Amino acid sequence: MKLIWSPTSPFARKVRVAAYELGLHERLTLEALNVQPGKLNPEYATSVNPLRKIPALILDDGEAIVDSLIICDYLDALAGGDRIIPAANPERARVLTAHSIANGVIDTLVQLRYETWLRPEELRWQVWSDDLWDRVVHGLSWLEQRAGAPRDRFDLAAITTACMLGYLDLRFAGAAWREKFPALAAFEAAVRDRPSLGNTAPPQG
Amino acid sequence: MKLIWSPTSPFARKVRVAAYELGLHERLTLEALNVQPGKLNPEYATSVNPLRKIPALILDDGEAIVDSLIICDYLDALAGGDRIIPAANPERARVLTAHSIANGVIDTLVQLRYETWLRPEELRWQVWSDDLWDRVVHGLSWLEQRAGAPRDRFDLAAITTACMLGYLDLRFAGAAWREKFPALAAFEAAVRDRPSLGNTAPPQG
C-alpha cells in the first residue's frame, strides 16, 4: 500500500501513527506530495483525490482511500478490528466524537494558518481569525476536561490529540498551550516517547 | 434523541435523511441553532460542540455526538448496522471514500460561500476562491464518473451526494451543474422523490 503524505501534515502523521500502533507501518510505502492553496496538482486531483488533500492511501489494486479517518478505519479492520476504533457503542461514539473534536481543531489550525500566514496581509479578516482561534481554545478546553480520564488503550482519539498537539508545537510555537491546559500537557509528556509518535515527528523549524 | 440543526445546513440534512432511511426519524426531536462565522454561541461551544458546527446529536443521557458522519454511524448501528454504511471491506472503504468526496465538496462550497459572500468584499482573495471552485469541479467530476454505477442500496455516499446537489441548487443556483454532469443530474432526478429527501428539502430562496 502506498501512502501519499507530507512530513509536516498532521493528518498524514495520524495515519502513520495508527499504522505503527496497529503493527502495519512496514506495509506502507510513502510518496511525498506538496499541497497548498493555489497549487492545483492536476494529476493528483484527477486520479486520486479531487479535493487535493493529503493523506490518501493507494491500495495494491489502484483503489484510493480518503480521508485520514477512513484510512484509519480501513487499517483498523486490516489489523483485525476493534483496535484503535472501538467496535461497539457507547464507547465507539465516544472515541469517534473525541476524534472529531481533535481533528476539527487541526482543521481549524490549518485554516488559521491560511488566514494569518498564507493569505496576502491586506486581505486578512480579523473577525475570522478571532473566530477560528475561539474554536481552537474551546476545542482544547473540551479535550483538557477529558485528558485525565483513564484509558485502556491508545485509541484514535488519543492518536489524533497527540498529532494535534504536535502541530500546535510545530506551527503555533508561541501559543503556550501547556500552561493553560495542564492535563493535555501531562498527556503529551506521557505519550511522547511511544515509537509511533517518535518515529513520525515532523521536522522542526 | 435531540438533533441540533438548521433548516439550510446540508450536514444536518444528511443526518435527517439517514434517519428517515433507517426508520429512526420519529425518534429525533429537532432544536434549531443559527451558526455562522463571528457568532460565538458560547453556551453551545462550552456544552455541546467546541467547534460550533452543526449538527450535533444529544442522547437521552446528555452525551453529545459530533460530527455528521459519526452521528450517521451511530444511527446505522442503532438500526442494526450494515444498512447505510457497509460493514465489510472493500465495499465499506468505497462507500466511505465516496462519502468523504461528496462531504468534502459540501465543505468546500461552504468555504466558498464564506469567501465570496460573507467576507467583506475588499478582503476577498481571488486565488483562494478559484482554488476552492477547482476542487468543487474535480469533486463533481469524480462523483459523475461513479454516479451511473448500479447501486443495491441508498447508502451514505448516495445520501451525501444528494444533499450536496441540493446545497448547490440552494446556494449556487447559477452553477448549471446539470448540463456539465448529466449522470449526477439523472441520479438527482431518480432520488428526488424519496420521502427522506422530500421531507428534508431546505426552504428555497
Side-chain angles (χ1 to χ4, degrees), chain B residues 112-124:
Chain B
L112 200 50
R113 194 166 149 80
Y114 289 171
E115 181 69 29
T116 61
W117 181 79
L118 194 74
R119 183 182 286 263
E121 211 167 335
E122 66 276 14
L123 302 179
R124 295 176 190 171

Side-chain angles (χ1 to χ4, degrees), chain B residues 39-121:
Chain B
K39 193 164 187 298
L40 298 186
N41 289 334
E43 195 194 319
Y44 186 66
T46 304
S47 65
V48 181
N49 184 349
L51 306 170
R52 283 189 266 116
K53 295 185 172 187
I54 52 172
L57 182 71
I58 318 277
L59 302 184
D60 295 340
D61 66 2
E63 184 130 349
I65 301 181
V66 295
D67 56 23
S68 61
L69 171 60
I70 309 311
I71 298 172
C72 289
D73 177 88
Y74 181 82
L75 295 178
D76 190 68
L78 203 59
D82 202 20
R83 298 276 302 272
I84 56 171
I85 303 173
N89 286 312
E91 199 47 28
R92 177 178 176 81
R94 250 175 236 146
V95 167
L96 289 175
T97 291
H99 167 271
S100 292
I101 303 304
N103 202 68
V105 170
I106 301 176
D107 245 337
T108 310
L109 289 168
V110 170
Q111 285 183 70
L112 200 50
R113 194 166 149 80
Y114 289 171
E115 181 69 29
T116 61
W117 181 79
L118 194 74
R119 183 182 286 263
E121 211 167 335

